[in-house]
């Protein structure tokens, strides 16, 4: 008779902080983040990788956390929506330019899809030349993998343009 692991300890760096948790081997990364690590900003929508609400960054790349087992992310750096803002040096936080743009452009309504959009767009904008003007095609690509049932996307796309401009001005 062979022994089968039913639990495993997973070590991650989440939002810059080393974390360790023991999870069932079939626990999804989204569930480990929410239930084991208490990071409820990552939302679970369709549980099929279609809607994008559960998107997090794994080693800098957007990943649908509902499609990844927590044990597959062992040793990885994970950034959730909670990790986008940065410390202001005075005990508070400064919003990421994409978060600020969503606020300024009224790019959310119910907010359920927002964490996935923010993480996806932030990664996409950080991976491009900030001096280059963003094109409509780039904007469509950045928002095309996430679903929103409330906004109709116009304000989300405007927020992408606004954030791209702000990141270009800062660079």
């Amino acid at each position: 008779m062979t022994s089968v692991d039913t639990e495993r300890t997973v070590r991650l760096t989440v939002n810059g902080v080393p974390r360790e948790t023991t999870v069932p081997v079939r626990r999804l990364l989204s569930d480990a983040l929410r239930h084991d690590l208490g990071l409820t900003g990552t939302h679970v929508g369709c549980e099929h990788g279609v809607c994008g609400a559960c998107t997090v960054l794994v080693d800098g790349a957007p990943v649908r956390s509902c499609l990844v087992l927590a044990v597959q992310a062992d040793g990885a750096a994970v950034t959730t929506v909670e990790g986008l803002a940065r410390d202001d040096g005075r005990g508070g936080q400064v919003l990421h330019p994409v978060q600020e743009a969503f606020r300024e452009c009224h790019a959310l309504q119910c907010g359920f899809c927002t964490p996935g959009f923010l993480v996806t767009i932030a990664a996409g904008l950080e991976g491009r030349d900030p001096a280059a003007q963003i094109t409509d095609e780039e904007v469509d690509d950045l928002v095309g993998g996430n679903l929103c049932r409330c906004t109709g996307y116009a304000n989300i796309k405007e927020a992408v343009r606004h954030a791209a401009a702000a990141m270009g001005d800062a660079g």
Side-chain angles (χ1 to χ4, degrees):
M1 180 183 249
T2 60
S3 172
V4 176
D5 285 343
T6 58
E7 290 189 333
R8 193 163 296 157
T9 299
V10 177
R11 291 169 188 81
L12 307 164
T13 300
V14 182
N15 301 327
V17 178
R19 303 289 299 265
E20 183 176 303
T21 186
T22 300
V23 297
V25 294
R26 296 185 53 86
R27 169 94 22 107
L28 296 171
L29 179 58
S30 57
D31 292 335
L33 291 168
R34 292 181 58 78
H35 303 295
D36 299 308
L37 299 178
L39 297 168
T40 58
T42 301
H43 292 168
V44 178
C46 67
E47 296 187 78
H48 297 284
V50 175
C51 73
C54 69
T55 304
V56 299
L57 303 181
V58 176
D59 293 330
V63 170
R64 306 289 204 229
S65 64
C66 75
L67 298 179
V68 176
L69 296 173
V71 296
Q72 291 175 290
D74 189 26
V78 177
T79 303
T80 68
V81 69
E82 291 95 340
L84 290 181
R86 61 178 170 74
D87 185 2
D88 69 359
R90 299 179 307 222
Q93 290 190 319
V94 176
L95 293 178
H96 187 282
V98 175
Q99 292 172 304
E100 186 64 33
F102 262 61
R103 186 187 65 77
E104 289 180 16
C105 297
H106 308 286
L108 61 102
Q109 285 184 19
C110 81
F112 192 82
C113 65
T114 304
F117 271 109
L118 292 172
V119 171
T120 301
I121 294 166
L125 292 179
E126 289 170 3
R128 65 183 297 281
D129 177 4
Q133 176 110 9
I134 194 161
T135 66
D136 289 342
E137 184 178 321
E138 285 178 289
V139 172
D140 289 344
D141 285 346
L142 285 173
V143 303
N146 293 63
L147 299 178
C148 175
R149 299 172 115 185
C150 302
T151 68
Y153 299 95
N155 289 4
I156 295 171
K157 290 180 178 185
E158 183 57 32
V160 173
R161 290 182 193 91
H162 187 81
M167 292 170 79
D169 291 344

